[in-house]
Amino acid sequence: MNEHARDGAPYLTAEGLMARTGGRELQRVVFGAEAIDARVREMGAEITGHYGPDDDVLILGLLKGSFIFLSDLVRHIARPLHVDFIVASSYGAGTTSTGDVKLLYDPTAPIEGRHIVLVEDIVDSGNTINRLTRALESRGPASIELCALLHKHIAEGLVLEPRWVGFDAPTDFLVGYGLDHAEDFRHLPFVASI
Ligand code: IMP
Ligand code: MG
């Protein structure tokens, strides 16, 4: 990586970055750790303000990509809530969506009558969201909202537009802060292109 490595500060020195990537070069930091932190705080406050005091809120994280985003986000939501996860898979080891979304784990938490916040790392083709939204809607939630860290704005016919978006993303393939390429790079504290 080039001079942009500084955007990942204060969590990572150039040596720390090399240690985490095994020496593989990233192209550039697209969203630095400090920018992500500031935006995630804002999103937490927005979600806090969106719901009434008696609403039964379930934060549903889409694994694995949302695991860091969700864990930071819920610490900035100042109201009672529950957390559960869904595991879906659409990419395999490639960098383009296969369009074939598999549901590998279903939440144990009940959905009926509850306010669901589906937490995604990134909205790309929209296949995952379209498939999951339909599956969840059939279980009678009080509402479903989508909260995505990143949105590429290339999806056609999204059945649910995200109410909360961290950042509009370039169409490059992005890694870090939960996002992977063939399972690598999830643990980077910033989002970079490869
Ligand atoms: P979609 O179904 O095409 O919208 O893609 C959704 C999932 O694909 C996301 O939850 C990510 O896990 C993955 N994905 C999409 N774009 C990227 C990317 O740029 N980097 C890493 N993963 C991505
Ligand atoms: Mg992935």
Side-chain angles (χ1 to χ4, degrees):
M1 177 162 335
N2 46 34
E3 74 278 6
H4 295 290
R6 281 196 300 277
D7 296 356
Y11 301 119
L12 230 50
T13 60
E15 297 74 41
L17 180 60
M18 287 303 247
R20 282 164 181 78
T21 62
R24 286 157 73 189
E25 287 281 318
L26 303 175
Q27 232 166 48
R28 68 182 178 103
V29 172
V30 180
F31 302 107
E34 288 175 9
I36 293 173
D37 180 59
R39 184 66 192 117
V40 172
R41 284 172 191 271
E42 288 174 357
M43 295 173 89
E46 287 165 17
I47 292 171
T48 303
H50 181 75
Y51 293 98
D54 297 328
D55 287 346
D56 182 2
V57 175
L58 174 65
I59 307 289
L60 208 47
L62 190 50
L63 290 178
K64 296 175 223 176
S66 74
F67 83 108
I68 295 181
F69 175 42
L70 183 142
S71 68
D72 284 344
L73 180 70
V74 292
R75 283 178 277 186
H76 298 300
I77 302 177
R79 58 153 301 122
L81 56 77
H82 288 183
V83 175
D84 206 340
F85 295 95
I86 290 188
V87 185
S89 164
S90 69
Y91 263 64
T95 57
T96 52
S97 180
T98 59
D100 171 30
V101 179
K102 291 193 196 76
L103 251 190
L104 305 176
Y105 169 79
D106 227 13
T108 54
I111 302 296
E112 196 179 341
R114 308 183 78 182
H115 294 274
I116 310 300
V117 181
L118 198 53
V119 178
E120 254 274 47
D121 53 355
I122 185 164
V123 180
D124 185 17
S125 73
N127 288 332
T128 311
I129 283 311
N130 287 344
R131 162 86 203 273
L132 287 181
T133 304
R134 287 194 205 96
L136 290 170
E137 265 167 359
S138 70
R139 298 176 194 181
S143 69
I144 304 179
E145 298 293 355
L146 177 59
C147 175
L149 175 70
L150 303 168
H151 192 345
K152 285 187 179 172
H153 292 284
I154 56 172
E156 283 170 27
L158 262 192
V159 303
L160 182 67
E161 275 296 332
R163 177 172 294 274
W164 300 287
V165 174
F167 303 95
D168 294 332
T171 53
D172 317 31
F173 197 81
L174 302 173
V175 297
Y177 199 69
L179 290 92
D180 73 303
H181 174 242
E183 296 301 328
D184 286 325
F185 310 121
R186 289 194 197 276
H187 59 319
L188 303 178
F190 49 77
V191 172
S193 60
I194 56 168

